[in-house]
Structures are given as structure tokens and as C-alpha cells.
Amino acid sequence: MNIKPIRNEKDYQNALNRLELIFDAKKGTVKGDELEILSILIDQYENEKFPIGMPDPIEAIKFRMEQMGMNQKDLAEVVGFKSRVSEILNKKRKLTLGMIRKLNSNLHIPTEVLVQDY
């Protein structure tokens, strides 16, 4: 096992190539340990170099509605009047704290996504 820190793109590619070669290694073996350590290093490098920001709150609501097969009428039952839902989805009305709580409870959208500015 010859593991070193991932400092640049070349190191990253080498780590990915090695990971691919030992991907089916059994836990508790030398290659299994190498696989686990490489996975951690690759994850850390990717989080540092390719961070994924949080989604727009309204886009998150629309996405969750699509996943759950909901329409605006269904969402109105969660947050209030249908006209209010239309205003929210068109970004003409901001989410209130009460709406955020309901969306979190019913649609399971993280509050840290819903409280962002948009």
C-alpha cells in the first residue's frame, strides 16, 4: 500500500485509477484498507475542490413536488392559499417561518435550504 495525499489533479486522477482497480477488495484485507483510505482522501479532495452549493429554495420545492407527484393544489394544502403558492413558486412572495416549518415537516426539505435568500 503506497498512499499519499491528493494535492493536485494528477494525484486525484491517479487515486481514481487506483480506486477503480481495487474497487472490489474485501474489507479487512490490505487492499480493502487501501480502498477505504483512498475513498476518504478522494472524498475530501472533491469536497474541497468541487464543492456543491445548496439548491435554490424554490427550485428545491419544485423538485420535491415533482418527486412526490404534487401539483400546486397539493402544495396549497401545505402552505395555504393556492394564489399564495403561485406567488411563492414565481418568487413574488417570500417564504414565512411558518411555511418553512410546514415545508420541512411535510416535504422533508431541509430548513437550511429553505431559509436561504432568493
Side-chain angles (χ1 to χ4, degrees):
M1 183 171 14
N2 185 17
I3 296 178
K4 62 181 189 164
I6 301 173
R7 294 188 178 107
N8 53 46
E9 186 66 26
K10 183 180 178 190
D11 292 342
Y12 175 64
Q13 286 304 320
N14 288 338
L16 288 175
N17 291 337
R18 179 64 183 158
L19 184 77
E20 190 175 326
L21 288 174
I22 61 171
F23 191 75
D24 294 325
K26 302 255 188 256
K27 265 189 170 182
T29 64
V30 173
K31 285 186 179 179
D33 291 346
E34 182 181 4
L35 174 67
E36 188 174 348
I37 294 167
L38 268 178
S39 298
I40 293 167
L41 290 173
I42 289 169
D43 184 54
Q44 181 180 352
Y45 182 81
E46 289 176 344
N47 289 336
E48 186 179 302
K49 297 295 181 182
F50 314 113
I52 299 174
M54 285 201 274
D56 175 82
I58 303 307
E59 294 305 315
I61 293 169
K62 289 177 181 178
F63 179 73
R64 186 61 60 130
M65 287 173 62
E66 184 179 322
Q67 283 183 320
M68 298 175 76
M70 294 176 73
N71 57 32
Q72 285 191 16
K73 183 181 176 187
D74 299 325
L75 190 61
E77 293 176 15
V78 175
V79 297
F81 303 105
K82 188 174 181 180
S83 60
R84 193 169 285 165
V85 169
S86 180
E87 290 173 344
I88 291 167
L89 294 179
N90 290 311
K91 297 185 179 183
K92 293 181 180 177
R93 178 182 289 268
K94 297 285 186 185
L95 294 170
T96 65
L97 183 57
M99 290 177 193
I100 290 170
R101 287 180 178 148
K102 289 176 184 175
L103 290 165
N104 174 258
S105 304
N106 294 294
L107 275 62
H108 308 288
I109 300 172
T111 55
E112 53 271 8
V113 170
L114 295 169
V115 298
Q116 297 179 96
D117 265 340
Y118 57 92

